[in-house]
Amino acid sequence: MIFPGGAPPRLEGSFCGKCRKQFVPVRMHCSKCRGRTDLVYLDGCGKLITFTTLYVPPEGFMPPLVMGICEIKGGLRVFGEIHDYRLKDSLEIGEAVFVTEKDGKYFLHLERGAAAQPATS
Amino acid sequence: MTKFGPSDRRLEELMYDAAVSAMTDAGVDDVDGVVVGAMSPESFTGDSNISAFITDYLGLVPKPTLRIETASSTGAAIFDGAFFALASGFFKNILVLAGEKMTTLPTGAATKILSEVLSPQERRQGGTMPALAALVARAYMSAHGCGREALTRVAVKNHANAVKNPYAHFQYAVDAQRVETSKMISDPLRLYDCSPLSDGAAAIVMTTDKMPIRVAGIGHGTDYISLAQRDSLTSFSSTRVATQKAFKMAGIKPSKIDVAEIHDAFTPFEIIGCEDVGFYEPGTAWKHVLDGETEIAGPLPVNPSGGLKARGHPVGASGLAQIIEIVWQLRGNAGARQIDKRLRYGLTQSVGGLGTSNIVTILENVA
Ligand SMILES: [Zn+2]
């Protein structure tokens, strides 16, 4: 995998050492054992497992709003907005994506095409 | 229960109407307590302290009352809660009463209120119930080779059933073309895949006395609030947990069920629900739907009332309306939509939120 922007995107998450469970977004306590989690940086590369284009968004959002869920390395799934709505009609389950986060929102970027420019933080 | 659909009646008036019809049906003038269900009266109509307000409005002060809320399974949750209260032996009869008044607000505002049941991150990014249901629908359809025609068949069937239900929001039939050319809401879900915003109320009097219809089993399960963090996107674990508990309590197998009301807030949820309650193997229910098995004349009628899709979905009341339909079907007084055979067991499955608090109830005809 080649990242024109440099190293793979790192995603801030939580990890429970006891359950070996990862979380994005960050959470203080594990959803399985209630134990305290540690802050970790995850590799945000993965594949798209489902997606939709919402034409009737809630107040404060503009249609079309394209969203999906991707599965990153280790099996963790992240819900996010597809970064470029113009790709809505060509998305495919299983295609390579990477996740970035900005202000508590998650964006799924498609690997294909020149637009694949991950934000590095 | 009241007719579902847009109404001029206020929430308390709808709930009054439902309560009076239930108490009349039960032949009781008084009850030991009132369990009230409503999902978001605070947001929809600005009413809080709703259980005391309704108990006063019904002329039942100083009876104890409480409110239970589990998002869109609220109507089933109050039945669940009242059942265990009665089982404690401290009560003899309880009025369970649920209602929602949703059509006072514009659709965008109502959609936003409904999306507040989702995880904070998913809704912060514009996630709504239809959008997350669409993510589940696409995952299911892709994993199991289910095509558009199965979703269409659910909508066509449920509308056809609702034509014969005087309580239904939509008492008209739709054909496949109308469903498949309706407005795209969240791809692949179209307008006719989605239940409507409705007003309405439902009520039942539950008692410890021997009655012709008894509660055979109840189960309740939960799941993680974030859809992305579930173990499966093609099945609801909360329904599976609830199903296991309900059948264990009833001491029967899913094959004994004669009729079911399944939470079809979105057409694919009826298909997935039929698998989660054990009627069909995972990934196969859509084929049985296409074979007509779940129609009123089929071997396992599902949503003879028209379901949430066509009976309507006053969000806090639907779970109880499902139970009422099963009571009517088991008693044999479901009118023109009555299933024409002897019915012993009926099942309801109610989904709270996007599958976060799901309840399965099994009723038995012991007459
Ligand atoms: Zn843990």
Side-chain angles (χ1 to χ4, degrees):
Chain A
M1 220 172 280
I2 294 162
F3 292 94
R10 294 198 313 162
L11 199 58
E12 202 173 72
S14 301
F15 179 69
C16 173
K18 190 177 158 199
C19 303
R20 317 299 296 170
K21 219 169 144 66
Q22 300 171 336
F23 303 96
V24 167
V26 166
R27 59 184 285 162
M28 299 285 279
H29 300 97
C30 175
S31 68
K32 208 172 165 190
C33 72
R34 287 180 298 280
R36 185 102 185 169
T37 58
D38 296 318
L39 190 67
V40 287
Y41 290 92
L42 304 165
D43 179 342
C45 295
K47 61 180 201 290
L48 192 61
I49 58 169
T50 187
F51 58 89
T52 187
T53 303
L54 176 61
Y55 294 93
V56 190
E59 285 175 333
F61 290 87
M62 287 284 286
L65 191 57
V66 193
M67 331 178 209
I69 295 176
C70 77
E71 189 170 302
I72 63 173
K73 278 176 196 150
L76 178 68
R77 291 172 182 171
V78 182
F79 170 90
E81 183 177 341
I82 306 290
H83 80 291
D84 184 348
Y85 75 89
R86 290 167 300 184
L87 300 171
K88 66 184 171 62
D89 297 322
S90 67
L91 297 172
E92 284 192 43
I93 288 179
E95 76 172 293
V97 292
F98 60 87
V99 190
T100 59
E101 184 258 318
K102 194 170 187 293
D103 302 329
K105 294 186 175 183
Y106 294 83
F107 296 90
L108 310 185
H109 305 255
L110 272 64
E111 288 277 4
R112 62 181 146 109
Q117 185 81 24
T120 47
S121 56
Chain B
M1 58 183 277
T2 67
K3 181 191 178 299
F4 284 3
S7 167
D8 297 334
R9 307 275 285 162
R10 297 176 55 85
L11 177 62
E12 62 273 25
E13 293 172 328
L14 289 167
M15 291 176 95
Y16 177 93
D17 293 346
V20 168
S21 72
M23 290 173 75
T24 305
D25 179 274
V28 299
D29 204 38
D30 199 10
V31 289
D32 297 338
V34 186
V35 182
V36 174
M39 186 184 104
S40 291
E42 293 84 353
S43 303
F44 283 121
T45 54
D47 294 309
S48 102
N49 194 15
I50 191 81
S51 62
F53 175 40
I54 296 300
T55 299
D56 173 342
Y57 199 80
L58 290 173
L60 288 169
V61 169
K63 294 298 155 64
T65 184
L66 52 83
R67 172 195 178 185
I68 293 175
E69 185 274 307
T70 58
S72 40
S73 61
T74 292
I78 59 173
F79 190 88
D80 180 359
F83 172 80
F84 289 107
L86 289 164
S88 76
F90 286 97
F91 296 84
K92 258 189 76 68
N93 60 18
I94 293 178
L95 173 66
V96 293
L97 172 59
E100 208 82 49
K101 175 83 186 169
M102 304 172 76
T103 66
T104 41
L105 298 177
T107 303
T111 303
K112 184 160 183 295
I113 292 169
L114 294 172
S115 75
E116 285 164 1
V117 309
L118 304 173
S119 86
Q121 183 239 330
E122 287 166 354
R123 71 182 125 109
R124 190 161 57 233
Q125 298 205 232
T128 62
M129 289 295 286
L132 270 65
L135 294 176
V136 170
R138 190 184 303 280
Y140 177 91
M141 293 165 83
S142 160
H144 300 304
C146 166
R148 166 74 245 175
E149 63 278 7
L151 309 191
T152 300
R153 189 66 177 266
V154 170
V156 169
K157 168 180 73 71
N158 291 354
H159 268 266
N161 292 352
V163 168
K164 295 173 178 168
N165 185 352
Y167 295 91
H169 184 154
F170 297 129
Q171 295 172 35
Y172 60 83
V174 295
D175 60 16
Q177 197 203 350
R178 181 160 176 188
V179 173
E180 292 178 5
T181 55
S182 65
K183 182 181 175 181
M184 190 65 88
I185 301 294
S186 197
D187 184 24
L189 301 180
R190 292 178 177 275
L191 181 65
Y192 277 98
D193 291 308
C194 305
S195 55
L197 301 169
S198 314
D199 303 331
I204 295 184
V205 177
M206 296 174 74
T207 174
T208 54
D209 291 343
K210 279 221 176 325
M211 302 298 284
I213 309 293
R214 75 172 192 107
V215 178
I218 287 187
H220 188 163
T222 55
D223 206 345
Y224 303 116
I225 200 88
S226 158
L227 177 66
Q229 284 167 21
R230 311 278 176 82
D231 292 337
S232 172
L233 287 179
T234 58
S235 159
F236 291 116
S237 161
S238 44
T239 300
R240 291 186 172 267
V241 169
T243 296
Q244 223 171 21
K245 289 185 177 172
F247 279 104
K248 189 174 175 207
M249 189 190 293
I252 58 166
K253 292 205 154 55
S255 59
K256 297 288 279 184
I257 300 296
D258 299 309
V259 54
E261 287 275 312
I262 301 290
H263 189 103
D264 59 331
F266 304 97
T267 52
F269 282 18
E270 178 173 314
I271 294 169
I272 292 170
C274 283
E275 296 173 5
D276 288 339
V277 300
F279 294 159
Y280 304 116
E281 289 299 311
T284 66
W286 63 272
K287 294 175 192 163
H288 298 278
V289 167
L290 286 176
D291 287 343
E293 288 181 28
T294 56
E295 301 194 5
I296 283 190
L300 179 55
V302 173
N303 290 328
S305 66
L308 279 56
K309 172 72 210 72
R311 179 186 49 218
H313 188 22
V315 67
S318 283
L320 198 59
Q322 293 179 310
I323 292 170
I324 292 174
E325 176 69 13
I326 295 298
V327 169
W328 286 341
Q329 289 287 349
L330 294 183
R331 279 181 181 173
N333 58 1
R337 64 188 186 288
Q338 179 64 46
I339 296 160
D340 189 19
K341 62 183 175 197
R342 155 128 182 108
L343 304 174
R344 181 166 175 195
Y345 289 104
L347 174 146
T348 66
Q349 175 250 16
S350 187
V351 174
L354 213 280
T356 42
S357 195
N358 294 8
I359 298 167
V360 170
T361 308
I362 300 168
L363 302 183
E364 181 183 8
N365 179 1
V366 289

